[in-house]
PDB file of all heavy atoms in Angstrom:
ATOM      1  N   GLU A 247      15.581 -13.657   4.316  1.00 87.00           N
ATOM      2  CA  GLU A 247      14.467 -12.733   4.099  1.00 87.00           C
ATOM      3  C   GLU A 247      14.874 -11.461   3.372  1.00 87.00           C
ATOM      4  O   GLU A 247      14.047 -10.576   3.165  1.00 87.00           O
ATOM      5  CB  GLU A 247      13.824 -12.378   5.440  1.00 87.00           C
ATOM      6  CG  GLU A 247      13.162 -13.565   6.112  1.00 87.00           C
ATOM      7  CD  GLU A 247      12.444 -13.193   7.393  1.00 87.00           C
ATOM      8  OE1 GLU A 247      11.349 -12.609   7.294  1.00 87.00           O
ATOM      9  OE2 GLU A 247      12.984 -13.468   8.478  1.00 87.00           O
ATOM     10  N   ASP A 248      16.141 -11.377   2.955  1.00 78.00           N
ATOM     11  CA  ASP A 248      16.591 -10.216   2.185  1.00 78.00           C
ATOM     12  C   ASP A 248      16.318 -10.445   0.709  1.00 78.00           C
ATOM     13  O   ASP A 248      16.261 -11.587   0.237  1.00 78.00           O
ATOM     14  CB  ASP A 248      18.090  -9.972   2.385  1.00 78.00           C
ATOM     15  CG  ASP A 248      18.426  -9.612   3.819  1.00 78.00           C
ATOM     16  OD1 ASP A 248      17.539  -9.072   4.506  1.00 78.00           O
ATOM     17  OD2 ASP A 248      19.563  -9.865   4.248  1.00 78.00           O
ATOM     18  N   TYR A 249      16.192  -9.352  -0.029  1.00 65.00           N
ATOM     19  CA  TYR A 249      16.016  -9.460  -1.469  1.00 65.00           C
ATOM     20  C   TYR A 249      17.334  -9.862  -2.111  1.00 65.00           C
ATOM     21  O   TYR A 249      18.388  -9.309  -1.808  1.00 65.00           O
ATOM     22  CB  TYR A 249      15.531  -8.130  -2.068  1.00 65.00           C
ATOM     23  CG  TYR A 249      14.054  -7.939  -1.922  1.00 65.00           C
ATOM     24  CD1 TYR A 249      13.521  -7.433  -0.735  1.00 65.00           C
ATOM     25  CD2 TYR A 249      13.179  -8.283  -2.942  1.00 65.00           C
ATOM     26  CE1 TYR A 249      12.147  -7.270  -0.580  1.00 65.00           C
ATOM     27  CE2 TYR A 249      11.805  -8.129  -2.804  1.00 65.00           C
ATOM     28  CZ  TYR A 249      11.293  -7.618  -1.631  1.00 65.00           C
ATOM     29  OH  TYR A 249       9.948  -7.466  -1.473  1.00 65.00           O
ATOM     30  N   LYS A 250      17.289 -10.857  -2.995  1.00 54.00           N
ATOM     31  CA  LYS A 250      18.491 -11.310  -3.689  1.00 54.00           C
ATOM     32  C   LYS A 250      18.692 -10.439  -4.917  1.00 54.00           C
ATOM     33  O   LYS A 250      18.209 -10.725  -6.000  1.00 54.00           O
ATOM     34  CB  LYS A 250      18.353 -12.778  -4.106  1.00 54.00           C
ATOM     35  CG  LYS A 250      19.627 -13.369  -4.692  1.00 54.00           C
ATOM     36  CD  LYS A 250      19.385 -14.781  -5.221  1.00 54.00           C
ATOM     37  CE  LYS A 250      20.656 -15.404  -5.737  1.00 54.00           C
ATOM     38  NZ  LYS A 250      21.383 -14.578  -6.684  1.00 54.00           N
ATOM     39  N   THR A 251      19.415  -9.318  -4.745  1.00 50.00           N
ATOM     40  CA  THR A 251      19.617  -8.379  -5.834  1.00 50.00           C
ATOM     41  C   THR A 251      21.062  -7.958  -5.916  1.00 50.00           C
ATOM     42  O   THR A 251      21.856  -8.201  -5.020  1.00 50.00           O
ATOM     43  CB  THR A 251      18.772  -7.106  -5.642  1.00 50.00           C
ATOM     44  OG1 THR A 251      19.287  -6.388  -4.514  1.00 50.00           O
ATOM     45  CG2 THR A 251      17.315  -7.443  -5.423  1.00 50.00           C
ATOM     46  N   ALA A 252      21.393  -7.286  -7.018  1.00 45.00           N
ATOM     47  CA  ALA A 252      22.744  -6.781  -7.195  1.00 45.00           C
ATOM     48  C   ALA A 252      23.046  -5.636  -6.242  1.00 45.00           C
ATOM     49  O   ALA A 252      24.172  -5.167  -6.160  1.00 45.00           O
ATOM     50  CB  ALA A 252      22.935  -6.317  -8.641  1.00 45.00           C
ATOM     51  N   ALA A 253      22.015  -5.178  -5.522  1.00 45.00           N
ATOM     52  CA  ALA A 253      22.208  -4.072  -4.581  1.00 45.00           C
ATOM     53  C   ALA A 253      22.861  -4.532  -3.280  1.00 45.00           C
ATOM     54  O   ALA A 253      23.128  -3.737  -2.406  1.00 45.00           O
ATOM     55  CB  ALA A 253      20.858  -3.421  -4.266  1.00 45.00           C
ATOM     56  N   ASP A 254      23.147  -5.853  -3.168  1.00 46.00           N
ATOM     57  CA  ASP A 254      23.756  -6.371  -1.945  1.00 46.00           C
ATOM     58  C   ASP A 254      25.045  -5.640  -1.606  1.00 46.00           C
ATOM     59  O   ASP A 254      25.321  -5.320  -0.458  1.00 46.00           O
ATOM     60  CB  ASP A 254      24.050  -7.864  -2.081  1.00 46.00           C
ATOM     61  CG  ASP A 254      22.779  -8.700  -1.986  1.00 46.00           C
ATOM     62  OD1 ASP A 254      21.726  -8.146  -1.628  1.00 46.00           O
ATOM     63  OD2 ASP A 254      22.857  -9.897  -2.280  1.00 46.00           O
ATOM     64  N   ALA A 255      25.861  -5.382  -2.642  1.00 44.00           N
ATOM     65  CA  ALA A 255      27.146  -4.720  -2.391  1.00 44.00           C
ATOM     66  C   ALA A 255      26.935  -3.324  -1.841  1.00 44.00           C
ATOM     67  O   ALA A 255      27.625  -2.895  -0.910  1.00 44.00           O
ATOM     68  CB  ALA A 255      27.953  -4.655  -3.687  1.00 44.00           C
ATOM     69  N   ARG A 256      25.949  -2.604  -2.419  1.00 43.00           N
ATOM     70  CA  ARG A 256      25.680  -1.245  -1.951  1.00 43.00           C
ATOM     71  C   ARG A 256      25.116  -1.258  -0.538  1.00 43.00           C
ATOM     72  O   ARG A 256      25.297  -0.327   0.230  1.00 43.00           O
ATOM     73  CB  ARG A 256      24.705  -0.549  -2.899  1.00 43.00           C
ATOM     74  CG  ARG A 256      25.291  -0.295  -4.283  1.00 43.00           C
ATOM     75  CD  ARG A 256      24.377   0.639  -5.073  1.00 43.00           C
ATOM     76  NE  ARG A 256      23.084   0.058  -5.334  1.00 43.00           N
ATOM     77  CZ  ARG A 256      22.817  -0.739  -6.367  1.00 43.00           C
ATOM     78  NH1 ARG A 256      23.780  -1.069  -7.199  1.00 43.00           N
ATOM     79  NH2 ARG A 256      21.614  -1.221  -6.559  1.00 43.00           N
ATOM     80  N   ALA A 257      24.423  -2.334  -0.199  1.00 50.00           N
ATOM     81  CA  ALA A 257      23.824  -2.440   1.129  1.00 50.00           C
ATOM     82  C   ALA A 257      24.814  -2.990   2.152  1.00 50.00           C
ATOM     83  O   ALA A 257      24.454  -3.233   3.289  1.00 50.00           O
ATOM     84  CB  ALA A 257      22.588  -3.336   1.068  1.00 50.00           C
ATOM     85  N   GLN A 258      26.051  -3.223   1.717  1.00 62.00           N
ATOM     86  CA  GLN A 258      27.101  -3.712   2.613  1.00 62.00           C
ATOM     87  C   GLN A 258      26.783  -5.088   3.185  1.00 62.00           C
ATOM     88  O   GLN A 258      27.190  -5.421   4.297  1.00 62.00           O
ATOM     89  CB  GLN A 258      27.346  -2.705   3.754  1.00 62.00           C
ATOM     90  CG  GLN A 258      27.733  -1.311   3.281  1.00 62.00           C
ATOM     91  CD  GLN A 258      29.023  -1.305   2.464  1.00 62.00           C
ATOM     92  OE1 GLN A 258      30.024  -1.832   2.888  1.00 62.00           O
ATOM     93  NE2 GLN A 258      28.980  -0.709   1.286  1.00 62.00           N
ATOM     94  N   LYS A 259      26.100  -5.911   2.407  1.00 78.00           N
ATOM     95  CA  LYS A 259      25.825  -7.267   2.850  1.00 78.00           C
ATOM     96  C   LYS A 259      26.951  -8.173   2.362  1.00 78.00           C
ATOM     97  O   LYS A 259      27.435  -8.024   1.241  1.00 78.00           O
ATOM     98  CB  LYS A 259      24.485  -7.748   2.288  1.00 78.00           C
ATOM     99  CG  LYS A 259      23.287  -6.955   2.802  1.00 78.00           C
ATOM    100  CD  LYS A 259      22.009  -7.400   2.124  1.00 78.00           C
ATOM    101  CE  LYS A 259      20.831  -6.534   2.557  1.00 78.00           C
ATOM    102  NZ  LYS A 259      19.588  -6.904   1.842  1.00 78.00           N
ATOM    103  N   PRO A 260      27.376  -9.144   3.175  1.00 87.00           N
ATOM    104  CA  PRO A 260      28.481 -10.002   2.755  1.00 87.00           C
ATOM    105  C   PRO A 260      28.125 -10.941   1.611  1.00 87.00           C
ATOM    106  O   PRO A 260      29.002 -11.420   0.905  1.00 87.00           O
ATOM    107  CB  PRO A 260      28.825 -10.781   4.035  1.00 87.00           C
ATOM    108  CG  PRO A 260      27.577 -10.745   4.845  1.00 87.00           C
ATOM    109  CD  PRO A 260      26.929  -9.430   4.541  1.00 87.00           C
ATOM    110  N   GLY A 261      26.845 -11.219   1.434  1.00 87.00           N
ATOM    111  CA  GLY A 261      26.437 -12.110   0.349  1.00 87.00           C
ATOM    112  C   GLY A 261      24.938 -12.316   0.371  1.00 87.00           C
ATOM    113  O   GLY A 261      24.223 -11.705   1.155  1.00 87.00           O
ATOM    114  N   ASP A 262      24.458 -13.219  -0.496  1.00 93.00           N
ATOM    115  CA  ASP A 262      23.026 -13.542  -0.480  1.00 93.00           C
ATOM    116  C   ASP A 262      22.661 -14.172   0.856  1.00 93.00           C
ATOM    117  O   ASP A 262      21.573 -13.938   1.391  1.00 93.00           O
ATOM    118  CB  ASP A 262      22.700 -14.517  -1.613  1.00 93.00           C
ATOM    119  CG  ASP A 262      22.981 -13.918  -2.984  1.00 93.00           C
ATOM    120  OD1 ASP A 262      22.659 -12.733  -3.178  1.00 93.00           O
ATOM    121  OD2 ASP A 262      23.518 -14.631  -3.847  1.00 93.00           O
TER     122      ASP A 262
END
Side-chain angles (χ1 to χ4, degrees):
E247 294 184 76
D248 296 334
Y249 278 83
K250 187 186 183 309
T251 68
D254 285 350
R256 293 191 296 275
Q258 302 300 309
K259 296 175 184 177
D262 298 318

